[in-house]
Amino acid sequence: MRYAQSLVGLAVVGLLAGCSGTTRQKADQTTQSVKSETRQVGQRASQDLAEGTQTLRVKTALAASKALSGATIHVTSEPHRVILKGSVLTENQKTVAGQLAKDTVGAGVTIVNDLALEKRAAKAR
């Protein structure tokens, strides 16, 4: 990111060598705008990476749990939130999944446990 900012800065300096004051002001404004946008893109990329890492950590913890055998759980992340969706076989599995997710991500992250109990057809007699 710093490399890109440096290149933009050098290009602007080269263009400004023979420019009037008004043109120079516009170029400075454009440079500041590009720097700001570059910073925002970097921050968003960092946030996306953190969310992806958080999702992967929770998925790994859930997949490693034998208590969740037979459950189908989908994990997504947002800033400060992890969402669990899918189905579980028992209420205990829902509780275990929520607790594992919370233990994995720690404090400051809300777990939204939208897991549903799977409705199994009654056995025919």
Side-chain angles (χ1 to χ4, degrees), residues 52-101:
T53 300
Q54 183 169 269
T55 299
L56 182 59
R57 289 176 58 221
V58 172
K59 284 182 177 183
T60 301
L62 296 177
S65 174
K66 292 181 183 189
L68 297 175
S69 179
T72 303
I73 303 173
H74 305 282
V75 181
T76 57
S77 293
E78 298 173 356
H80 309 291
R81 283 176 28 135
V82 170
I83 300 120
L84 305 178
K85 291 188 178 190
S87 62
V88 291
L89 303 177
T90 66
E91 191 65 41
N92 185 56
Q93 282 187 325
K94 181 176 180 174
T95 302
V96 168
Q99 190 59 52
L100 272 173

Side-chain angles (χ1 to χ4, degrees), residues 8-66:
V8 169
L10 287 174
V12 170
V13 168
L15 291 172
L16 292 177
C19 295
S20 68
T22 304
T23 304
R24 192 175 301 251
Q25 282 180 329
K26 287 181 182 178
D28 287 343
Q29 288 172 347
T30 301
T31 300
Q32 290 305 318
S33 176
V34 168
K35 283 182 179 180
S36 176
E37 289 176 25
T38 303
R39 192 175 307 111
Q40 289 172 358
V41 167
Q43 288 170 344
R44 181 63 191 157
S46 177
Q47 183 178 355
D48 287 348
L49 181 60
E51 289 171 18
T53 300
Q54 183 169 269
T55 299
L56 182 59
R57 289 176 58 221
V58 172
K59 284 182 177 183
T60 301
L62 296 177
S65 174
K66 292 181 183 189

